[in-house]
Amino acid sequence: MSLLEQIPFQHAGYLVANREAACRQLEKIYGLDQWTMVEYKPLKATCYGKPFDGYYVKAAVHPPVGGCGIEIIQPVSEGMHMDFFRRDPNGINHVCHTVKDYEKYLQLFLDKGCELIFEAEMEDEIRGYRRCGYAYDPILRTVFEFAEVPHFRNKK
């Protein structure tokens, strides 16, 4: 069984200048109209291995259709997303794998030559705790995101 069969793509992530305009265009092209708008401000973030306070992107998420979802990201704060947007605006930035064993799969890609360029933690009362990490492959010039399946932690 291939690794892609074990951890299929959950979504493709676009970096854009205007999330609403991007959603309208994807609605026009694909008929996608069930976007969830998100103000993404993680509790904890690191960019290029250094802590980063005040990380902020505007996002829109569409559930999977035909096996793969779409995420639109409009960078607001400085940081990794803004850096990538400035180099290559309005395009696909990453593919995401949703995984239960976050450390295992992230490390697997790091061991294959990818570099950890972004990591964040989120927690809320609706979805629980989750992490995401971006592993950049310099040969493919592609970002692989690993999003942890949300879970509720025991609070004491």
Side-chain angles (χ1 to χ4, degrees), residues 80-107:
M80 186 278 305
H81 287 95
M82 185 66 80
D83 294 345
F84 272 74
F85 178 77
R86 285 184 178 132
R87 285 193 300 253
D88 191 18
N90 288 351
I92 294 177
N93 167 257
H94 66 272
V95 293
C96 178
H97 302 279
T98 300
V99 295
K100 289 183 181 178
D101 193 339
Y102 174 78
E103 289 94 358
K104 172 186 172 180
Y105 289 107
L106 181 59
Q107 190 62 52

Side-chain angles (χ1 to χ4, degrees), residues 9-26:
F9 294 140
Q10 196 274 334
H11 70 254
Y14 288 80
L15 286 181
V16 301
N18 182 305
R19 91 176 151 180
E20 287 77 13
C23 290
R24 286 192 301 273
Q25 184 65 8
L26 286 165

Side-chain angles (χ1 to χ4, degrees), residues 27-73:
E27 182 176 354
K28 181 176 152 184
I29 292 170
Y30 288 123
L32 302 176
D33 61 356
Q34 297 177 7
W35 295 97
T36 300
M37 300 299 180
V38 180
E39 303 294 314
Y40 180 68
K41 299 175 182 177
L43 299 172
K44 187 175 171 185
T46 59
C47 287
Y48 314 114
K50 297 179 182 171
F52 193 104
D53 290 329
Y55 208 88
Y56 176 39
V57 299
K58 293 181 179 181
V61 180
H62 196 282
V65 175
C68 190
I70 295 177
E71 178 182 50
I72 303 296
I73 298 176

Side-chain angles (χ1 to χ4, degrees), residues 103-144:
E103 289 94 358
K104 172 186 172 180
Y105 289 107
L106 181 59
Q107 190 62 52
L108 181 73
F109 274 66
L110 298 178
D111 291 345
K112 292 180 184 290
C114 293
E115 174 189 357
L116 182 62
I117 59 171
F118 178 75
E119 199 166 27
E121 295 181 29
M122 293 76 54
E123 188 165 23
D124 58 51
E125 294 176 2
I126 297 169
R127 295 188 64 211
Y129 177 78
R130 61 226 182 256
R131 295 172 288 178
C132 74
Y134 280 49
Y136 177 72
D137 183 288
I139 295 170
L140 296 173
R141 295 183 58 215
T142 298
V143 175
F144 297 96

